[in-house]
Amino acid sequence: MATRKIRTRGLGTAAAAGLGLLTGALAALAAERRTAHAMRARLDRLEAQVAHSHRHANLANQQHLHWELLSKAIDSPELAEVLDIFEAPASPLERRQYLFANALYTNLLFYYRIGNLSREEVFGRMRGLLQNPVVREYWIATRGQRATLPEDSDEAELGRMVDDLLRQLEEADTEEWWVVGEPPAE
């Protein structure tokens, strides 16, 4: 009988030890899963940051190339003729001015795309630029080009915003141009 009690006690101790090992193994497995999940989430964030940085670098390279091409066209009437796709005929001087206006607008668009300017800030800067008659003429002369943009693109959205602003400026009966128009909501 004493042997049975020792065996029973031994089995109970072994079962408790086994249960403890099993509990410990499950806890370790759960901790390992949480760690793996946290590492995967961190890796996903890092990949998104790299992709975002890569996109900004690509936009910066594109902006630089755009400026180089426009600079060549501004400096050379022969090359500027290649970019004469305005709705109304433009003289060589007007073409150069339009190309520079394009560079100014493209710079604002780039700043908006990389997050350095909000829509409201682009609105304010365009409101100032539109005080220049050459910039207004450029904007009107390129209306057809903007009409070819995909409806949901950020450039098309900003173009519609500036179109509306220009209309409001032309209809305004005030000399205080800086109060014309309602800045867009973000």
Side-chain angles (χ1 to χ4, degrees):
M1 210 122 118
T3 308
R4 280 191 194 162
K5 284 185 181 180
I6 292 173
R7 281 189 192 158
T8 305
R9 201 177 327 158
L11 288 176
T13 304
L19 187 58
L21 283 173
L22 181 61
T23 303
L26 289 174
L29 182 62
E32 189 175 311
R33 283 185 100 185
R34 283 191 302 273
T35 302
H37 180 70
M39 290 179 75
R40 182 67 200 162
R42 186 172 183 197
L43 182 60
D44 289 345
R45 282 192 307 276
L46 287 172
E47 286 175 349
Q49 287 174 346
V50 167
H52 187 71
S53 295
H54 189 68
R55 181 175 184 271
H56 279 194
N58 286 344
L59 283 170
N61 287 335
Q62 178 189 2
Q63 178 73 7
H64 180 74
L65 179 60
H66 182 258
W67 174 246
E68 283 184 17
L69 291 170
L70 283 180
S71 293
K72 287 179 181 187
I74 289 169
D75 292 340
S76 168
E78 295 82 16
L79 294 178
E81 285 182 32
V82 174
L83 295 176
D84 190 353
I85 52 175
F86 308 110
E87 291 186 13
S91 71
L93 173 63
E94 288 171 323
R95 210 173 305 133
R96 289 178 73 196
Q97 291 172 329
Y98 287 0
L99 293 175
F100 189 74
N102 175 264
L104 291 173
Y105 174 70
T106 303
N107 190 55
L108 288 176
L109 176 63
F110 170 71
Y111 270 42
Y112 173 73
R113 284 179 171 162
I114 65 170
N116 284 0
L117 288 177
S118 66
R119 285 175 65 91
E120 185 176 346
E121 290 169 317
V122 172
F123 181 86
R125 292 189 185 193
M126 281 306 300
R127 184 168 42 195
L129 284 174
L130 289 171
Q131 297 313 299
N132 184 299
V134 174
V135 174
R136 283 183 184 221
E137 291 169 17
Y138 157 76
W139 196 257
I140 292 166
T142 56
R143 187 172 286 144
Q145 293 174 37
R146 286 188 307 282
T148 66
L149 296 171
E151 287 274 324
D152 61 344
S153 71
D154 53 356
E155 188 173 359
E157 289 175 16
L158 288 180
R160 287 188 296 272
M161 177 188 76
V162 176
D163 287 341
D164 188 48
L165 173 60
L166 180 58
R167 182 189 51 73
Q168 291 176 43
L169 286 166
E170 288 174 347
E171 293 173 356
D173 60 352
T174 180
E175 294 291 319
E176 297 174 340
W177 58 267
W178 56 91
V179 298
V180 174
E182 186 67 32
E186 286 298 322

